[in-house]
Amino acid sequence: MLSEKLNKVLNEQIRIEAESSQIYLSMGSWAEVKGLEGISSFMYKQSDEERTHMQKLIKFVNERGGHAVISDLKAPATEFVSFQNMFEELYKHEIFVSASINNLVHVSLEEKDYATHNFLQWYVAEQIEEEALARTILDKINLIGEDKGGLYLFDRDIMQISVQSAASSGPAI
Ligand code: OFO
């Protein structure tokens, strides 16, 4: 049975995952309008993944005798200065999510809830991967600079990243 405190912080994480999904959906739409097809499909896939993270949490909370509460969400940004800026925002957001997951792990230990602690390890590993991927992408972007041909190739490559990771990941809900 989940403690009230853990139920509360897990519900906050459910909201954060849902907001992450909306943020990436909005980024995907912005990129699509700008004709950046690869970036857009990458963002749409990220958005879908965040939704599965949220669903996995909902199931866990309810299975453990808690109540997963679905709340309203903060509206995401709809405009970005550039695609570079958009990926910097994505990276910052993933760092914020990692801190939030770390805090959840901390609370699970305080509450001596080892089942929740164990469940959260999947999220800890996922955040390491997502931060690493965002950093790799930012490195590539820095290499491109203002080069338009580079942007064309980047957009094509990132489409590949999203296809590959879609085939190899996706948590069991
Ligand atoms: Fe939910 O995985 Fe990153 O944010």
Side-chain angles (χ1 to χ4, degrees):
M1 181 84 183
L2 281 178
S3 70
E4 222 172 280
K5 185 171 180 188
L6 256 180
N7 196 154
K8 183 168 173 282
V9 285
L10 285 165
N11 274 336
E12 278 162 21
Q13 192 63 33
I14 288 170
R15 180 183 49 75
I16 288 173
E17 299 293 341
E19 284 179 352
S20 303
S21 180
Q22 293 296 91
I23 289 169
Y24 299 150
L25 194 58
S26 181
M27 288 178 172
S29 176
W30 180 87
E32 193 163 45
V33 167
K34 301 282 174 204
L36 300 166
E37 206 194 327
I39 295 175
S40 159
S41 91
F42 173 83
M43 290 298 180
Y44 286 153
K45 190 196 66 72
Q46 291 300 115
S47 171
D48 287 347
E49 270 195 22
E50 297 299 346
R51 185 173 163 80
T52 66
H53 300 172
M54 173 196 71
Q55 288 170 313
K56 197 173 154 90
L57 277 161
I58 291 172
K59 289 217 161 197
F60 178 78
V61 168
N62 290 339
E63 257 167 34
R64 294 286 319 285
H67 181 191
V69 173
I70 310 305
S71 61
D72 54 357
L73 308 175
K74 202 160 76 194
T78 53
E79 292 295 336
F80 301 90
V81 184
S82 61
F83 81 96
Q84 290 94 329
N85 161 259
M86 196 172 72
F87 278 101
E88 276 157 19
E89 292 299 320
L90 176 144
Y91 182 49
K92 273 198 255 167
H93 184 70
E94 288 302 329
I95 288 174
F96 160 75
V97 174
S98 297
S100 172
I101 297 287
N102 284 344
N103 181 54
L104 267 178
V105 172
H106 181 72
V107 177
S108 72
L109 286 177
E110 270 179 356
E111 299 290 291
K112 296 192 167 61
D113 187 330
Y114 301 110
T116 299
H117 182 265
N118 187 43
F119 167 79
L120 289 172
Q121 296 314 303
W122 183 88
Y123 287 84
V124 171
E126 178 70 12
Q127 283 310 119
I128 292 173
E129 266 185 39
E130 291 195 347
E131 277 189 34
L133 177 61
R135 267 198 307 275
T136 307
I137 291 172
L138 283 178
D139 287 347
K140 278 187 195 282
I141 288 174
N142 285 334
L143 283 175
I144 300 168
E146 296 301 311
D147 180 35
K148 288 262 186 280
L151 172 58
Y152 173 80
L153 292 176
F154 173 78
D155 191 52
R156 200 191 58 185
D157 285 356
I158 201 163
M159 173 89 88
Q160 212 42 41
I161 294 179
S162 79
V163 171
Q164 276 162 7
S165 58
S168 65
S169 72
I173 299 168

